[in-house]
Amino acid sequence: MAKSEVFAENKLFATLDTTVRKVVIENLPFLLADTVGFIRKLPTDLVDSFKSTLDEVREADLLLHVVDISHPDFEEQINVVENTLKDLGCADKPSMIVFNKIDQYHWVDKEADDLTPISRENIPLDELRRTWMARLNENCLFISARERVNLIEFRDILYHKVRELHVQKYPYNDFLYNIE
């Protein structure tokens, strides 16, 4: 979103620092803070260190929870994040879930006559879209950052959400933005 390169790797403790970048969509500048990923079962002596990196979450106007949908336990990870947000007193902030890596999501098709219960590995991406988007309405989006799938839609949604929050905070500055 910020057109900058940030080190990211699928390794434990690869990115510990929060990065803040200026983003401009159309005529609307805002700051985008990227905090560290969440780690379950963190050693107790590191818990306080990680909570201190989440101070940006307390100050944020909008939370974007980016979820790796290709991870086998992504729903458990979502619950961990939601519980942490509750602990931080941030559960009521405007938020959006962005499911990333749809290009890496895989499932196994069940035969039409297979009567065994549906398991996580048998759920097609379209079914996940329907269930999550039905639950979260416009606060849910499926993308692939690497393959650039739905990024224009993501930018549009982000622009409208940030503009709405800005106009609420600064009602006399609404002339800066095209009101549709």
Side-chain angles (χ1 to χ4, degrees), residues 25-79:
I25 299 177
E26 294 183 29
N27 57 350
L28 179 60
F30 60 94
L31 296 177
L32 180 67
D34 183 2
T35 63
V36 298
F38 285 83
I39 301 168
R40 331 180 255 128
K41 300 177 184 170
L42 195 63
T44 54
D45 54 331
L46 293 178
V47 170
D48 289 335
S49 299
F50 271 85
K51 284 198 176 181
S52 69
T53 66
L54 298 175
D55 284 337
E56 285 82 0
V57 173
R58 289 186 193 97
E59 300 299 321
D61 294 320
L62 174 66
L63 302 177
L64 298 177
H65 180 188
V66 180
V67 176
D68 177 355
I69 198 165
S70 68
H71 193 283
D73 294 325
F74 76 87
E75 290 177 304
E76 181 184 343
Q77 292 176 337
I78 291 171
N79 290 333

Side-chain angles (χ1 to χ4, degrees), residues 107-118 121-122:
W107 70 94
V108 178
D109 280 328
K110 287 179 61 163
E111 297 294 324
D113 61 348
D114 185 349
L115 299 177
T116 59
I118 293 178
E121 60 270 358
N122 298 121

Side-chain angles (χ1 to χ4, degrees), residues 1 143-145 147-156:
M1 295 300 300
I143 69 168
S144 169
E147 300 295 322
R148 308 194 61 72
V149 175
N150 292 337
L151 289 188
I152 292 172
E153 182 182 359
F154 178 49
R155 287 176 59 92
D156 290 345

